[in-house]
Amino acid sequence: MSEQEEQLTGGNTAESVVRLGSTVRKPVTSSTPAVHSLLAYLQAVGFEASPAALGIDEQGRQVLEFVQGSLWSSVGTHTQTDFRRVGTIIRTLHDAAASFQMPEEAQWNVRYEPDERDLICHNDLAPWNLVCGADRWVFIDWDAAAPATRLWDLAWASIAFPPFEPQCELPRAATAMHALLDGYRLQRSSYGKLIKLMVKRARAEHDFIVEGAQKGQEPWARLYVEEHHRYWGPVSDYIDQNASALEELLASLKGSLHQTSKIER
């Protein structure tokens, strides 16, 4: 008896994502060859927090490793140790990706221009893309991987994981963000620049959804109807208005002994 495909839910942009046995099948994009070369490289250097890329199936779909576990966003309460673990995973990813040699013909899915282009980043490091298994935590959905910077990638995670909301308890969000940055080993001198990029990234996401909807482009028109832009715009404003207070809170919190490596961007 052949295995049945199981529709997977939770994604916002892919048209159809299914599970077939121990694999995930999803549509190919123009960036798929480049993304699969990145995933193959990460696997080769021992990075365990990304799924294996297994090629293209007979229907022309991407084939990726299915990772057992629950999404971070569905788990519930998280400890400071959990946030530090996320930060450590992101740091390990960036350190590994820094030595990745991009194929000359590589095409990447760049939604909007990052601050700079230093290395290939995931660009959607968020609770809805982190599968937490018993022995392994894995970031999925690499279709938005593209050249950016460490802080550009980290800014997105710093918004999404605490999470920051348009009207949230700033000390609580700052404590979670600090644990994540502590796991990443980010120097305090970089906090101000990171916060500015958080504002910029959230605003860019808002504008991208609005502009996509105005042009009738999917899935952005659907995301606009679902009012995703009403999160990203206000949260950008909230972080901007509280930037000084947030930086002071982060600086006042005690870090671990691992916070020694300097990341400028």
Side-chain angles (χ1 to χ4, degrees), residues 112-115 123 148-156 201:
Y112 33 79
E113 193 64 26
D115 54 335
N123 286 319
T149 68
R150 291 170 181 261
L151 286 187
W152 184 258
D153 223 14
L154 195 57
W156 190 258
R201 281 221 62 178

Side-chain angles (χ1 to χ4, degrees), residues 110-254:
V110 180
R111 287 194 192 179
Y112 33 79
E113 193 64 26
D115 54 335
E116 294 185 45
R117 298 184 178 215
D118 288 342
L119 74 165
I120 303 302
C121 295
H122 182 285
N123 286 319
D124 198 5
L125 298 169
W128 50 86
N129 282 330
L130 180 60
V131 176
C132 302
D135 302 313
R136 183 179 167 217
W137 287 11
V138 175
F139 277 109
I140 59 173
D141 195 0
W142 289 72
D143 288 344
T149 68
R150 291 170 181 261
L151 286 187
W152 184 258
D153 223 14
L154 195 57
W156 190 258
S158 296
I159 297 168
F161 276 100
F164 279 88
E165 301 285 353
Q167 296 296 330
C168 65
E169 295 181 26
L170 191 62
R172 175 181 289 183
T175 299
M177 178 179 169
H178 181 268
L180 188 151
L181 299 183
D182 190 43
Y184 191 90
R185 308 196 310 277
L186 186 74
Q187 279 203 337
R188 293 183 180 183
S189 59
S190 295
Y191 287 173
K193 184 174 183 179
L194 176 64
I195 293 168
K196 289 180 181 178
L197 287 180
M198 291 167 67
V199 174
K200 183 176 180 179
R201 281 221 62 178
R203 178 54 57 185
E205 185 70 8
H206 168 274
D207 293 348
F208 189 78
I209 293 172
V210 171
E211 291 168 8
Q214 290 173 344
K215 296 175 182 177
Q217 297 173 340
E218 292 293 352
W220 318 116
R222 172 177 56 79
L223 294 182
Y224 182 86
V225 171
E226 294 172 358
E227 299 192 335
H228 287 245
H229 63 297
R230 295 191 183 278
Y231 168 77
W232 293 110
V235 84
S236 176
D237 292 339
Y238 177 80
I239 296 170
D240 191 23
Q241 293 162 5
N242 292 278
S244 296
L246 175 57
E247 186 172 0
E248 290 177 5
L249 279 168
L250 292 172
S252 71
L253 295 168
K254 290 184 178 181

Side-chain angles (χ1 to χ4, degrees), residues 20-178:
L20 181 58
S22 60
T23 68
V24 170
R25 313 294 173 105
K26 62 188 299 187
V28 165
T29 72
S30 59
S31 68
T32 294
V35 170
H36 281 211
S37 67
L38 172 65
L39 293 175
Y41 172 80
L42 292 174
Q43 185 178 32
V45 297
F47 180 70
E48 297 183 346
S50 58
L54 304 172
I56 307 298
D57 69 9
E58 65 281 356
Q59 296 183 39
R61 301 176 298 185
Q62 296 184 57
V63 183
L64 300 157
E65 171 194 7
F66 175 78
V67 181
Q68 292 281 357
S70 300
L71 288 175
W72 168 288
S73 54
S74 67
V75 170
T77 303
H78 298 280
T79 66
Q80 297 304 294
T81 299
D82 293 335
F83 286 106
R84 287 189 180 89
R85 181 172 178 177
V86 173
T88 299
I89 291 171
I90 297 173
R91 177 57 186 259
T92 305
L93 165 62
H94 289 166
D95 287 349
S99 56
F100 172 65
Q101 298 298 312
M102 287 184 286
E104 292 184 5
E105 70 282 5
Q107 297 183 49
W108 303 100
N109 177 22
V110 180
R111 287 194 192 179
Y112 33 79
E113 193 64 26
D115 54 335
E116 294 185 45
R117 298 184 178 215
D118 288 342
L119 74 165
I120 303 302
C121 295
H122 182 285
N123 286 319
D124 198 5
L125 298 169
W128 50 86
N129 282 330
L130 180 60
V131 176
C132 302
D135 302 313
R136 183 179 167 217
W137 287 11
V138 175
F139 277 109
I140 59 173
D141 195 0
W142 289 72
D143 288 344
T149 68
R150 291 170 181 261
L151 286 187
W152 184 258
D153 223 14
L154 195 57
W156 190 258
S158 296
I159 297 168
F161 276 100
F164 279 88
E165 301 285 353
Q167 296 296 330
C168 65
E169 295 181 26
L170 191 62
R172 175 181 289 183
T175 299
M177 178 179 169
H178 181 268

Side-chain angles (χ1 to χ4, degrees), residues 2-7 16 18-21 25 57-59 61:
S2 60
E3 293 180 294
Q4 295 295 312
E5 294 186 354
E6 172 191 352
Q7 192 76 29
S16 175
V18 301
R19 177 185 178 184
L20 181 58
R25 313 294 173 105
D57 69 9
E58 65 281 356
Q59 296 183 39
R61 301 176 298 185

